[in-house]
Amino acid sequence: MKPHPDWELMETLLTHVRTYQQLANKHGIADIFQDNGGKLLQVVLLLGLKVLPGREGNDAVDENGKEYELKSVNTDLTKSFSTHHHINPIIIDKYRKVDWVFAVYCGIELQAIYRVASKDLEVFYKTWETKWNESGGKDINNPKIPLTFVVERGELLYGQPPTPRTVAGPLQEVDEE
């Protein structure tokens, strides 16, 4: 096998990617290609947050010690935010204690950042608790929070509100008869 003609370009670009990873390492992000690490770095630097170590606690903390849960969405792929693969009362209790920061991306371009107070997410917490209890204590796999909810209820911290088409998806053709 021989390298693709774009291999040399890839090698050139990797120099910059390695610099990006060094910056991420400085801020506690071990891999910019895992768990939205590159996007996480952009958000924490823009908002002046510090990444919290480990995977069990909240994601970041501000200069006053207030912690946050961070989520991102790529509107080219989906119109809702992922939460956690094992939602249960312990995770819900953790979520209730912090505000959430939602970053909205179109591909790799940051469009907007919203903060949603934990109390405004209570509708989700209650729904998840009910579902968990009704299932006999079975963890819920990654329930979603719609982008429309975040845009309607959140405080815009950065950027511009996404367009209705970005939030709701492509416009649908309507057959007129």
Side-chain angles (χ1 to χ4, degrees), residues 124-150:
F124 295 101
Y125 306 147
K126 287 181 179 175
T127 300
W128 300 338
E129 282 176 328
T130 299
K131 184 174 181 177
W132 188 87
N133 286 318
E134 289 176 353
S135 73
K138 182 178 178 196
D139 289 357
I140 306 165
N141 183 17
N142 205 9
K144 307 292 191 260
I145 297 175
L147 176 57
T148 52
F149 179 90
V150 170

PDB file of all heavy atoms in Angstrom, residues 124-150:
ATOM      1  N   PHE A 124     -37.087  17.979  33.284  1.00  0.00           N
ATOM      2  CA  PHE A 124     -36.375  16.785  32.829  1.00  0.00           C
ATOM      3  C   PHE A 124     -36.035  15.873  34.004  1.00  0.00           C
ATOM      4  O   PHE A 124     -36.211  14.652  33.920  1.00  0.00           O
ATOM      5  CB  PHE A 124     -35.108  17.163  32.055  1.00  0.00           C
ATOM      6  CG  PHE A 124     -35.410  17.889  30.784  1.00  0.00           C
ATOM      7  CD1 PHE A 124     -35.275  19.265  30.712  1.00  0.00           C
ATOM      8  CD2 PHE A 124     -35.850  17.207  29.660  1.00  0.00           C
ATOM      9  CE1 PHE A 124     -35.566  19.943  29.547  1.00  0.00           C
ATOM     10  CE2 PHE A 124     -36.145  17.878  28.485  1.00  0.00           C
ATOM     11  CZ  PHE A 124     -36.004  19.255  28.424  1.00  0.00           C
ATOM     12  N   TYR A 125     -35.549  16.465  35.094  1.00  0.00           N
ATOM     13  CA  TYR A 125     -35.186  15.653  36.260  1.00  0.00           C
ATOM     14  C   TYR A 125     -36.378  14.839  36.747  1.00  0.00           C
ATOM     15  O   TYR A 125     -36.252  13.652  37.046  1.00  0.00           O
ATOM     16  CB  TYR A 125     -34.674  16.523  37.408  1.00  0.00           C
ATOM     17  CG  TYR A 125     -33.543  17.462  37.065  1.00  0.00           C
ATOM     18  CD1 TYR A 125     -33.445  18.698  37.689  1.00  0.00           C
ATOM     19  CD2 TYR A 125     -32.567  17.134  36.125  1.00  0.00           C
ATOM     20  CE1 TYR A 125     -32.409  19.575  37.405  1.00  0.00           C
ATOM     21  CE2 TYR A 125     -31.533  18.010  35.829  1.00  0.00           C
ATOM     22  CZ  TYR A 125     -31.461  19.228  36.474  1.00  0.00           C
ATOM     23  OH  TYR A 125     -30.443  20.095  36.183  1.00  0.00           O
ATOM     24  N   LYS A 126     -37.544  15.482  36.841  1.00  0.00           N
ATOM     25  CA  LYS A 126     -38.744  14.785  37.321  1.00  0.00           C
ATOM     26  C   LYS A 126     -39.158  13.675  36.362  1.00  0.00           C
ATOM     27  O   LYS A 126     -39.539  12.579  36.797  1.00  0.00           O
ATOM     28  CB  LYS A 126     -39.882  15.785  37.526  1.00  0.00           C
ATOM     29  CG  LYS A 126     -39.687  16.656  38.746  1.00  0.00           C
ATOM     30  CD  LYS A 126     -40.840  17.609  38.946  1.00  0.00           C
ATOM     31  CE  LYS A 126     -40.597  18.442  40.196  1.00  0.00           C
ATOM     32  NZ  LYS A 126     -41.618  19.471  40.385  1.00  0.00           N
ATOM     33  N   THR A 127     -39.095  13.954  35.067  1.00  0.00           N
ATOM     34  CA  THR A 127     -39.440  12.935  34.064  1.00  0.00           C
ATOM     35  C   THR A 127     -38.502  11.744  34.173  1.00  0.00           C
ATOM     36  O   THR A 127     -38.943  10.582  34.136  1.00  0.00           O
ATOM     37  CB  THR A 127     -39.372  13.541  32.648  1.00  0.00           C
ATOM     38  OG1 THR A 127     -40.304  14.618  32.558  1.00  0.00           O
ATOM     39  CG2 THR A 127     -39.670  12.509  31.581  1.00  0.00           C
ATOM     40  N   TRP A 128     -37.214  12.005  34.318  1.00  0.00           N
ATOM     41  CA  TRP A 128     -36.226  10.927  34.411  1.00  0.00           C
ATOM     42  C   TRP A 128     -36.430  10.117  35.696  1.00  0.00           C
ATOM     43  O   TRP A 128     -36.336   8.893  35.676  1.00  0.00           O
ATOM     44  CB  TRP A 128     -34.805  11.478  34.346  1.00  0.00           C
ATOM     45  CG  TRP A 128     -34.492  12.221  33.080  1.00  0.00           C
ATOM     46  CD1 TRP A 128     -35.127  12.123  31.873  1.00  0.00           C
ATOM     47  CD2 TRP A 128     -33.464  13.189  32.905  1.00  0.00           C
ATOM     48  NE1 TRP A 128     -34.545  12.976  30.960  1.00  0.00           N
ATOM     49  CE2 TRP A 128     -33.521  13.647  31.564  1.00  0.00           C
ATOM     50  CE3 TRP A 128     -32.491  13.729  33.743  1.00  0.00           C
ATOM     51  CZ2 TRP A 128     -32.652  14.602  31.047  1.00  0.00           C
ATOM     52  CZ3 TRP A 128     -31.613  14.683  33.234  1.00  0.00           C
ATOM     53  CH2 TRP A 128     -31.701  15.105  31.902  1.00  0.00           C
ATOM     54  N   GLU A 129     -36.700  10.813  36.798  1.00  0.00           N
ATOM     55  CA  GLU A 129     -36.942  10.094  38.060  1.00  0.00           C
ATOM     56  C   GLU A 129     -38.158   9.175  37.945  1.00  0.00           C
ATOM     57  O   GLU A 129     -38.113   8.023  38.378  1.00  0.00           O
ATOM     58  CB  GLU A 129     -37.185  11.093  39.204  1.00  0.00           C
ATOM     59  CG  GLU A 129     -35.941  11.710  39.737  1.00  0.00           C
ATOM     60  CD  GLU A 129     -36.225  12.760  40.802  1.00  0.00           C
ATOM     61  OE1 GLU A 129     -37.263  13.449  40.743  1.00  0.00           O
ATOM     62  OE2 GLU A 129     -35.382  12.891  41.695  1.00  0.00           O
ATOM     63  N   THR A 130     -39.219   9.705  37.350  1.00  0.00           N
ATOM     64  CA  THR A 130     -40.433   8.899  37.176  1.00  0.00           C
ATOM     65  C   THR A 130     -40.141   7.677  36.322  1.00  0.00           C
ATOM     66  O   THR A 130     -40.512   6.544  36.679  1.00  0.00           O
ATOM     67  CB  THR A 130     -41.550   9.751  36.540  1.00  0.00           C
ATOM     68  OG1 THR A 130     -41.850  10.841  37.413  1.00  0.00           O
ATOM     69  CG2 THR A 130     -42.805   8.916  36.297  1.00  0.00           C
ATOM     70  N   LYS A 131     -39.462   7.877  35.207  1.00  0.00           N
ATOM     71  CA  LYS A 131     -39.139   6.764  34.319  1.00  0.00           C
ATOM     72  C   LYS A 131     -38.249   5.743  35.025  1.00  0.00           C
ATOM     73  O   LYS A 131     -38.472   4.529  34.910  1.00  0.00           O
ATOM     74  CB  LYS A 131     -38.444   7.282  33.059  1.00  0.00           C
ATOM     75  CG  LYS A 131     -38.155   6.200  32.050  1.00  0.00           C
ATOM     76  CD  LYS A 131     -37.597   6.761  30.756  1.00  0.00           C
ATOM     77  CE  LYS A 131     -37.343   5.637  29.766  1.00  0.00           C
ATOM     78  NZ  LYS A 131     -36.877   6.119  28.479  1.00  0.00           N
ATOM     79  N   TRP A 132     -37.255   6.212  35.781  1.00  0.00           N
ATOM     80  CA  TRP A 132     -36.357   5.311  36.504  1.00  0.00           C
ATOM     81  C   TRP A 132     -37.141   4.477  37.518  1.00  0.00           C
ATOM     82  O   TRP A 132     -36.964   3.266  37.610  1.00  0.00           O
ATOM     83  CB  TRP A 132     -35.250   6.118  37.179  1.00  0.00           C
ATOM     84  CG  TRP A 132     -34.164   5.287  37.781  1.00  0.00           C
ATOM     85  CD1 TRP A 132     -33.048   4.806  37.164  1.00  0.00           C
ATOM     86  CD2 TRP A 132     -34.085   4.827  39.140  1.00  0.00           C
ATOM     87  NE1 TRP A 132     -32.289   4.080  38.040  1.00  0.00           N
ATOM     88  CE2 TRP A 132     -32.895   4.086  39.267  1.00  0.00           C
ATOM     89  CE3 TRP A 132     -34.897   4.988  40.249  1.00  0.00           C
ATOM     90  CZ2 TRP A 132     -32.511   3.488  40.460  1.00  0.00           C
ATOM     91  CZ3 TRP A 132     -34.514   4.392  41.445  1.00  0.00           C
ATOM     92  CH2 TRP A 132     -33.325   3.655  41.544  1.00  0.00           C
ATOM     93  N   ASN A 133     -38.008   5.148  38.290  1.00  0.00           N
ATOM     94  CA  ASN A 133     -38.802   4.447  39.297  1.00  0.00           C
ATOM     95  C   ASN A 133     -39.773   3.454  38.662  1.00  0.00           C
ATOM     96  O   ASN A 133     -39.931   2.334  39.148  1.00  0.00           O
ATOM     97  CB  ASN A 133     -39.556   5.436  40.184  1.00  0.00           C
ATOM     98  CG  ASN A 133     -38.629   6.133  41.164  1.00  0.00           C
ATOM     99  OD1 ASN A 133     -37.749   5.517  41.751  1.00  0.00           O
ATOM    100  ND2 ASN A 133     -38.813   7.438  41.326  1.00  0.00           N
ATOM    101  N   GLU A 134     -40.427   3.853  37.572  1.00  0.00           N
ATOM    102  CA  GLU A 134     -41.398   2.978  36.910  1.00  0.00           C
ATOM    103  C   GLU A 134     -40.734   1.778  36.241  1.00  0.00           C
ATOM    104  O   GLU A 134     -41.383   0.761  36.017  1.00  0.00           O
ATOM    105  CB  GLU A 134     -42.227   3.774  35.899  1.00  0.00           C
ATOM    106  CG  GLU A 134     -43.205   4.725  36.565  1.00  0.00           C
ATOM    107  CD  GLU A 134     -43.964   5.601  35.587  1.00  0.00           C
ATOM    108  OE1 GLU A 134     -43.655   5.583  34.368  1.00  0.00           O
ATOM    109  OE2 GLU A 134     -44.879   6.315  36.048  1.00  0.00           O
ATOM    110  N   SER A 135     -39.449   1.895  35.943  1.00  0.00           N
ATOM    111  CA  SER A 135     -38.734   0.782  35.302  1.00  0.00           C
ATOM    112  C   SER A 135     -38.149  -0.181  36.336  1.00  0.00           C
ATOM    113  O   SER A 135     -37.436  -1.115  35.963  1.00  0.00           O
ATOM    114  CB  SER A 135     -37.608   1.316  34.420  1.00  0.00           C
ATOM    115  OG  SER A 135     -36.533   1.791  35.224  1.00  0.00           O
ATOM    116  N   GLY A 136     -38.419   0.093  37.613  1.00  0.00           N
ATOM    117  CA  GLY A 136     -37.874  -0.759  38.659  1.00  0.00           C
ATOM    118  C   GLY A 136     -36.424  -0.458  38.981  1.00  0.00           C
ATOM    119  O   GLY A 136     -35.694  -1.305  39.470  1.00  0.00           O
ATOM    120  N   GLY A 137     -35.995   0.762  38.681  1.00  0.00           N
ATOM    121  CA  GLY A 137     -34.629   1.159  39.007  1.00  0.00           C
ATOM    122  C   GLY A 137     -33.626   0.901  37.900  1.00  0.00           C
ATOM    123  O   GLY A 137     -32.426   0.821  38.163  1.00  0.00           O
ATOM    124  N   LYS A 138     -34.103   0.791  36.673  1.00  0.00           N
ATOM    125  CA  LYS A 138     -33.205   0.579  35.543  1.00  0.00           C
ATOM    126  C   LYS A 138     -32.685   1.944  35.051  1.00  0.00           C
ATOM    127  O   LYS A 138     -33.469   2.850  34.764  1.00  0.00           O
ATOM    128  CB  LYS A 138     -33.934  -0.129  34.404  1.00  0.00           C
ATOM    129  CG  LYS A 138     -33.055  -0.434  33.222  1.00  0.00           C
ATOM    130  CD  LYS A 138     -33.824  -1.180  32.139  1.00  0.00           C
ATOM    131  CE  LYS A 138     -32.911  -1.415  30.959  1.00  0.00           C
ATOM    132  NZ  LYS A 138     -33.649  -1.782  29.764  1.00  0.00           N
ATOM    133  N   ASP A 139     -31.358   2.079  34.971  1.00  0.00           N
ATOM    134  CA  ASP A 139     -30.767   3.336  34.504  1.00  0.00           C
ATOM    135  C   ASP A 139     -31.278   3.685  33.114  1.00  0.00           C
ATOM    136  O   ASP A 139     -31.514   2.809  32.281  1.00  0.00           O
ATOM    137  CB  ASP A 139     -29.239   3.244  34.468  1.00  0.00           C
ATOM    138  CG  ASP A 139     -28.620   3.221  35.860  1.00  0.00           C
ATOM    139  OD1 ASP A 139     -29.358   3.331  36.859  1.00  0.00           O
ATOM    140  OD2 ASP A 139     -27.386   3.093  35.943  1.00  0.00           O
ATOM    141  N   ILE A 140     -31.437   4.979  32.865  1.00  0.00           N
ATOM    142  CA  ILE A 140     -31.929   5.482  31.577  1.00  0.00           C
ATOM    143  C   ILE A 140     -30.720   5.805  30.712  1.00  0.00           C
ATOM    144  O   ILE A 140     -29.794   6.496  31.149  1.00  0.00           O
ATOM    145  CB  ILE A 140     -32.803   6.735  31.782  1.00  0.00           C
ATOM    146  CG1 ILE A 140     -33.923   6.443  32.768  1.00  0.00           C
ATOM    147  CG2 ILE A 140     -33.343   7.226  30.447  1.00  0.00           C
ATOM    148  CD1 ILE A 140     -34.607   7.684  33.294  1.00  0.00           C
ATOM    149  N   ASN A 141     -30.744   5.308  29.491  1.00  0.00           N
ATOM    150  CA  ASN A 141     -29.623   5.501  28.579  1.00  0.00           C
ATOM    151  C   ASN A 141     -29.761   6.803  27.791  1.00  0.00           C
ATOM    152  O   ASN A 141     -30.524   6.891  26.842  1.00  0.00           O
ATOM    153  CB  ASN A 141     -29.509   4.317  27.615  1.00  0.00           C
ATOM    154  CG  ASN A 141     -28.305   4.446  26.703  1.00  0.00           C
ATOM    155  OD1 ASN A 141     -27.387   5.220  26.966  1.00  0.00           O
ATOM    156  ND2 ASN A 141     -28.307   3.691  25.625  1.00  0.00           N
ATOM    157  N   ASN A 142     -29.036   7.822  28.253  1.00  0.00           N
ATOM    158  CA  ASN A 142     -28.812   9.040  27.487  1.00  0.00           C
ATOM    159  C   ASN A 142     -30.071   9.778  27.035  1.00  0.00           C
ATOM    160  O   ASN A 142     -30.225  10.041  25.837  1.00  0.00           O
ATOM    161  CB  ASN A 142     -27.933   8.695  26.274  1.00  0.00           C
ATOM    162  CG  ASN A 142     -27.164   9.879  25.792  1.00  0.00           C
ATOM    163  OD1 ASN A 142     -27.132  10.922  26.417  1.00  0.00           O
ATOM    164  ND2 ASN A 142     -26.540   9.731  24.643  1.00  0.00           N
ATOM    165  N   PRO A 143     -30.938  10.158  27.952  1.00  0.00           N
ATOM    166  CA  PRO A 143     -32.075  10.977  27.532  1.00  0.00           C
ATOM    167  C   PRO A 143     -31.573  12.322  27.005  1.00  0.00           C
ATOM    168  O   PRO A 143     -30.497  12.789  27.383  1.00  0.00           O
ATOM    169  CB  PRO A 143     -32.889  11.136  28.810  1.00  0.00           C
ATOM    170  CG  PRO A 143     -31.919  10.936  29.919  1.00  0.00           C
ATOM    171  CD  PRO A 143     -30.894   9.965  29.399  1.00  0.00           C
ATOM    172  N   LYS A 144     -32.350  12.918  26.147  1.00  0.00           N
ATOM    173  CA  LYS A 144     -31.928  14.140  25.453  1.00  0.00           C
ATOM    174  C   LYS A 144     -32.626  15.384  26.008  1.00  0.00           C
ATOM    175  O   LYS A 144     -33.724  15.301  26.557  1.00  0.00           O
ATOM    176  CB  LYS A 144     -32.230  14.023  23.960  1.00  0.00           C
ATOM    177  CG  LYS A 144     -31.686  12.780  23.288  1.00  0.00           C
ATOM    178  CD  LYS A 144     -30.180  12.775  23.227  1.00  0.00           C
ATOM    179  CE  LYS A 144     -29.644  11.692  22.328  1.00  0.00           C
ATOM    180  NZ  LYS A 144     -29.175  10.522  23.008  1.00  0.00           N
ATOM    181  N   ILE A 145     -31.965  16.513  25.818  1.00  0.00           N
ATOM    182  CA  ILE A 145     -32.545  17.826  26.101  1.00  0.00           C
ATOM    183  C   ILE A 145     -32.586  18.556  24.759  1.00  0.00           C
ATOM    184  O   ILE A 145     -31.543  18.793  24.140  1.00  0.00           O
ATOM    185  CB  ILE A 145     -31.718  18.604  27.134  1.00  0.00           C
ATOM    186  CG1 ILE A 145     -31.716  17.856  28.471  1.00  0.00           C
ATOM    187  CG2 ILE A 145     -32.266  20.029  27.292  1.00  0.00           C
ATOM    188  CD1 ILE A 145     -30.838  18.469  29.542  1.00  0.00           C
ATOM    189  N   PRO A 146     -33.786  18.915  24.286  1.00  0.00           N
ATOM    190  CA  PRO A 146     -33.903  19.534  22.971  1.00  0.00           C
ATOM    191  C   PRO A 146     -33.236  20.911  22.900  1.00  0.00           C
ATOM    192  O   PRO A 146     -33.312  21.708  23.840  1.00  0.00           O
ATOM    193  CB  PRO A 146     -35.409  19.672  22.756  1.00  0.00           C
ATOM    194  CG  PRO A 146     -36.041  18.746  23.742  1.00  0.00           C
ATOM    195  CD  PRO A 146     -35.085  18.661  24.904  1.00  0.00           C
ATOM    196  N   LEU A 147     -32.624  21.181  21.775  1.00  0.00           N
ATOM    197  CA  LEU A 147     -32.032  22.492  21.528  1.00  0.00           C
ATOM    198  C   LEU A 147     -33.088  23.588  21.632  1.00  0.00           C
ATOM    199  O   LEU A 147     -32.811  24.671  22.153  1.00  0.00           O
ATOM    200  CB  LEU A 147     -31.359  22.510  20.148  1.00  0.00           C
ATOM    201  CG  LEU A 147     -30.772  23.833  19.670  1.00  0.00           C
ATOM    202  CD1 LEU A 147     -29.740  24.379  20.653  1.00  0.00           C
ATOM    203  CD2 LEU A 147     -30.158  23.659  18.284  1.00  0.00           C
ATOM    204  N   THR A 148     -34.307  23.308  21.174  1.00  0.00           N
ATOM    205  CA  THR A 148     -35.373  24.313  21.260  1.00  0.00           C
ATOM    206  C   THR A 148     -35.595  24.744  22.708  1.00  0.00           C
ATOM    207  O   THR A 148     -35.784  25.927  22.988  1.00  0.00           O
ATOM    208  CB  THR A 148     -36.695  23.788  20.664  1.00  0.00           C
ATOM    209  OG1 THR A 148     -37.005  22.517  21.256  1.00  0.00           O
ATOM    210  CG2 THR A 148     -36.608  23.640  19.155  1.00  0.00           C
ATOM    211  N   PHE A 149     -35.564  23.788  23.648  1.00  0.00           N
ATOM    212  CA  PHE A 149     -35.738  24.104  25.069  1.00  0.00           C
ATOM    213  C   PHE A 149     -34.620  25.023  25.548  1.00  0.00           C
ATOM    214  O   PHE A 149     -34.860  26.018  26.239  1.00  0.00           O
ATOM    215  CB  PHE A 149     -35.760  22.812  25.896  1.00  0.00           C
ATOM    216  CG  PHE A 149     -35.902  23.055  27.372  1.00  0.00           C
ATOM    217  CD1 PHE A 149     -37.153  23.123  27.949  1.00  0.00           C
ATOM    218  CD2 PHE A 149     -34.783  23.223  28.179  1.00  0.00           C
ATOM    219  CE1 PHE A 149     -37.288  23.361  29.320  1.00  0.00           C
ATOM    220  CE2 PHE A 149     -34.906  23.459  29.539  1.00  0.00           C
ATOM    221  CZ  PHE A 149     -36.169  23.534  30.114  1.00  0.00           C
ATOM    222  N   VAL A 150     -33.390  24.709  25.180  1.00  0.00           N
ATOM    223  CA  VAL A 150     -32.232  25.495  25.617  1.00  0.00           C
ATOM    224  C   VAL A 150     -32.327  26.918  25.081  1.00  0.00           C
ATOM    225  O   VAL A 150     -32.091  27.888  25.811  1.00  0.00           O
ATOM    226  CB  VAL A 150     -30.920  24.802  25.171  1.00  0.00           C
ATOM    227  CG1 VAL A 150     -29.721  25.697  25.395  1.00  0.00           C
ATOM    228  CG2 VAL A 150     -30.759  23.471  25.903  1.00  0.00           C
TER     229      VAL A 150
END
